[in-house]
Amino acid sequence: MCDHHHHGGSCAHEHTEEPEKERGAEYSLYQYIDTGGLTCLNERGSGTVAKVFKPWDQRLDRTAVVESDTDEQLIIHIPFTASIKLKAINIIGGADGTSPGKLKAWINREDIDFSSVDDVAPTQEWELSENPQGEIEYPTRITKFQNVTSLTLYIPENFGAERTIISYIGLKGEFKTLSRKAVNVTYESAAQLKDHKVPESEQMARHIGQ
């Protein structure tokens, strides 16, 4: 894993040579976020977190931000409309120490809140650098971030300010359409055959009755 906190320039340089169009396509997972299910604990304005998930070419637009309220911490829960493979995360924060300094992530956990966040081991965590141009991305351990239907992000600290500000969160990876209905139908059919099988004695009694 590349430690951006100590030598962020190496990984940033590797990715700045990518054509903008190709990199933008890689960061298109925002399209598969269930925006109606997005939640953010400790956000200053209700619903503001949804505005930081946007196309790559709009990442430097700072007109809409999510800002923490009572302290610098934020917990963001992101449900998806597809099963994704998450390859990297990109976060652009505010100036003057308001940018996130650390990040922890969990997959497929909807129960993470401020009462449990320190008790559950994260899927992965990163030391962050201030990233005003979105040039730094934080790779995931891809083997641990497959078949992701929801992602929970926890920002425990920033670079010294009272509040944390985020203007962009980019998610890089691949997706596949969920097929939960098909799975449920198959399960129900199998259950009916097993659960409603008529005993042989009852079948014989019916036959005699006829």
Side-chain angles (χ1 to χ4, degrees):
M1 182 182 74
C2 177
D3 188 346
H4 292 281
H5 186 68
H6 298 292
H7 49 273
S10 60
C11 282
H13 176 72
E14 178 186 345
H15 295 286
T16 52
E17 296 176 0
E18 290 183 44
E20 281 292 296
K21 189 174 181 181
E22 289 182 17
R23 196 170 184 196
E26 290 179 335
Y27 272 95
S28 63
L29 289 180
Y30 75 93
Q31 300 177 63
Y32 306 104
I33 292 173
D34 178 4
T35 52
L38 272 170
T39 58
C40 183
L41 303 182
N42 196 39
E43 66 177 334
R44 194 171 189 185
S46 178
T48 55
V49 69
K51 298 178 181 179
V52 305
F53 296 96
K54 50 196 171 186
W56 170 256
D57 59 5
Q58 297 177 25
R59 69 192 182 283
L60 301 182
D61 180 359
R62 294 175 171 83
T63 55
V65 301
V66 61
E67 182 176 355
S68 63
D69 190 8
T70 57
D71 56 25
E72 74 279 15
Q73 299 185 348
L74 287 167
I75 295 179
I76 302 170
H77 180 67
I78 310 161
F80 297 99
T81 58
S83 176
I84 69 161
K85 178 194 294 184
L86 185 64
K87 295 180 177 180
I89 300 174
N90 193 321
I91 296 184
I92 299 178
D96 302 322
T98 60
S99 186
K102 286 187 178 180
L103 176 67
K104 298 183 180 183
W106 292 259
I107 66 166
N108 306 336
R109 293 292 299 255
E110 300 181 4
D111 58 338
I112 301 295
D113 57 24
F114 287 114
S115 65
S116 62
V117 71
D118 292 324
D119 300 326
V120 182
T123 309
Q124 191 171 345
E125 56 186 293
W126 300 263
E127 297 262 341
L128 305 184
S129 296
E130 293 179 294
N131 185 29
Q133 301 301 312
E135 296 172 343
I136 302 171
E137 63 181 26
Y138 300 92
T140 65
R141 298 187 185 100
I142 295 179
T143 55
K144 294 188 174 184
F145 285 84
Q146 303 194 48
N147 300 315
V148 179
T149 56
S150 71
L151 179 69
T152 301
L153 303 178
Y154 172 46
I155 293 147
E157 62 184 63
N158 56 26
F159 285 89
E162 291 184 2
R163 292 191 173 100
T164 296
I165 294 176
I166 299 172
S167 61
Y168 173 76
I169 298 177
L171 304 174
K172 177 179 177 179
E174 302 170 0
F175 78 98
K176 62 180 179 180
T177 304
L178 288 173
S179 55
R180 288 176 175 169
K181 278 189 177 179
V183 172
N184 288 338
V185 169
T186 304
Y187 174 79
E188 287 297 326
S189 297
Q192 287 172 5
L193 289 172
K194 179 182 178 182
D195 298 342
H196 301 287
K197 186 176 179 180
V198 179
E200 290 184 10
S201 58
E202 188 175 340
Q203 288 179 357
M204 185 175 292
R206 289 182 183 178
H207 179 72
I208 294 171
Q210 292 174 351

